[in-house]
Amino acid sequence: YGSFYFFTSLRYLIDPISPLVICSLAYLVITFFNFLFTELERRKVRTAFSQYLAPAMVEKLAQSSESLVLGGERKEMTFLFSDIRGFTAFSEQYSPEGLTQLINRFLTPMTQVILDQKGTIDKYMGDCIMAFWNAPLEVPDHALKACHSALVMMKELEALNLELVKEAKTGDSTTDSLRIGIGINTGTACVGNLGSEQRFDYSALGDSVNLASRLEGQSKTYGVDILLTEDTYRSASQLAAVELDLIQVVGKSEPTRIFALLGDEEVCTSTDFVRLVELQNEMLNTYRARQW
């Protein structure tokens, strides 16, 4: 319009094409680099979390990376620790290569179970798995999902043991069955990128984390596979769990009530389990009243 006005009024010709072309090219270049930087940021997020989260959760986080709070935040989370019992003696039956292969066979299905339940793998410590729920993304019913993960992990372990028994019969292996203990706790912790400027991990710290780890160790003492704290049981009360004891944990002034997780919702409604809970509660009440 300006070019037309100057030409008709002042007989002065201004070329309108060049500015339009330059502006259009500038717009296209800026749009392209903006898209490129956005994709690079999403790829960075995908790379950082692809080893910890399920693919669907990684993609969701990449689409909304602002939900990832760098540096740490306090959140209510559920923590799971799993460890192979008697692993030191068990490892003596294998060569380093054979032991590595066995551990990979064990960790792969266990990891997949946790990822399927929207959990985050924090780290592997030899044969131990540390995982948590409700970070970096919100996970509704995170305590329930952690408990379901533990139950499915026991089923996966049973399937692996059947394979090991078949291999032992054919002479490919000489091993005993694997047994694991699992501890689960729900509580508040600090979660985020923790570490140094040279190296950091996305992890969690707090008493709630330590309690879950100690429960995993106590599972062998009580002769059960899965131990829960009372906080976890309150959030997953529809599952089949029975109270075991009150234990004094290091660093805690009050005793912690612990439960044994025995089954899912279907087991919880069975006649046998209802009777078991009645007998267990009667025994605990009598014991705590010292009615020997």
Side-chain angles (χ1 to χ4, degrees):
Y1 175 79
S3 178
F4 177 77
Y5 172 79
F6 280 111
F7 181 74
T8 55
S9 301
L10 305 176
R11 293 293 185 268
Y12 188 79
L13 179 62
I14 298 177
D15 179 21
I17 302 301
S18 298
L20 290 176
V21 172
I22 293 173
C23 290
S24 299
L25 288 176
Y27 173 77
L28 291 175
V29 170
I30 292 173
T31 301
F32 170 76
F33 279 103
N34 186 35
F35 172 79
L36 181 63
F37 292 146
T38 301
E39 283 302 309
L40 288 175
E41 180 67 21
R42 290 178 178 175
R43 182 179 297 179
K44 182 179 178 181
V45 172
R46 291 189 186 100
T47 302
F49 285 94
S50 61
Q51 301 298 320
Y52 309 107
L53 301 173
M57 294 190 69
V58 174
E59 189 61 31
K60 183 177 180 181
L61 184 61
Q63 297 297 332
S64 58
S65 59
E66 64 274 5
S67 61
L68 175 60
V69 178
L70 301 178
E73 60 175 331
R74 291 185 64 84
K75 296 187 69 173
E76 183 185 84
M77 304 166 60
T78 298
F79 304 92
L80 181 149
F81 280 81
S82 169
D83 195 16
I84 297 178
R85 294 178 180 172
F87 180 72
T88 302
F90 183 85
S91 61
E92 295 177 354
Q93 304 178 34
Y94 284 86
S95 64
E97 295 80 7
L99 184 62
T100 300
Q101 184 180 9
L102 178 63
I103 290 300
N104 290 339
R105 291 178 62 185
F106 166 76
L107 292 177
T108 298
M110 301 301 165
T111 299
Q112 190 60 51
V113 169
I114 293 172
L115 296 181
D116 289 343
Q117 292 291 333
K118 299 183 179 180
T120 300
I121 300 295
D122 185 296
K123 60 177 67 74
Y124 301 113
M125 296 164 283
D127 59 308
C128 178
I129 302 173
M130 175 184 172
F132 53 73
W133 280 256
N134 209 35
L137 300 179
E138 298 291 331
V139 179
D141 300 326
H142 48 87
L144 184 61
K145 292 186 182 300
C147 292
H148 276 300
S149 294
L151 293 172
V152 179
M153 288 169 68
M154 299 308 300
K155 294 181 180 179
E156 291 291 338
L157 180 64
E158 184 178 352
L160 176 60
N161 281 330
L162 289 176
E163 293 180 6
L164 295 177
V165 170
K166 292 180 181 178
E167 293 174 4
K169 290 181 178 179
T170 58
D172 297 333
S173 173
T174 58
T175 180
D176 298 327
S177 296
L178 295 173
R179 292 201 63 192
I180 63 173
I182 298 176
I184 303 176
N185 179 42
T186 301
T188 303
C190 178
V191 61
N193 283 328
L194 309 175
S196 64
E197 293 182 357
Q198 292 82 7
R199 186 181 186 277
F200 59 84
D201 290 320
Y202 189 80
S203 186
L205 295 174
D207 290 338
S208 300
V209 183
N210 299 333
L211 181 55
S213 177
R214 294 190 179 103
L215 279 189
E216 179 275 314
Q218 289 293 331
S219 64
K220 182 178 181 180
T221 303
Y222 285 89
V224 297
D225 296 324
I226 308 170
L227 277 182
L228 314 175
T229 60
E230 187 173 11
D231 291 332
T232 302
Y233 174 71
R234 289 198 195 101
S235 300
S237 57
Q238 61 268 50
L239 300 179
V242 295
E243 183 180 349
L244 286 184
D245 202 355
L246 286 167
I247 61 173
Q248 190 72 37
V249 180
V250 177
K252 295 282 188 179
S253 58
E254 296 293 330
T256 301
R257 195 181 304 272
I258 60 174
F259 295 77
L261 181 62
L262 303 180
D264 56 14
E265 292 86 349
E266 183 178 352
V267 176
C268 186
T269 57
S270 65
T271 304
D272 290 340
F273 178 75
V274 173
R275 180 56 179 160
L276 172 63
V277 173
E278 293 175 354
L279 291 173
Q280 180 75 356
N281 291 338
E282 181 182 354
M283 183 276 291
L284 289 175
N285 292 333
T286 304
Y287 170 77
R288 289 166 182 166
R290 300 188 177 184
Q291 297 175 4
W292 313 123

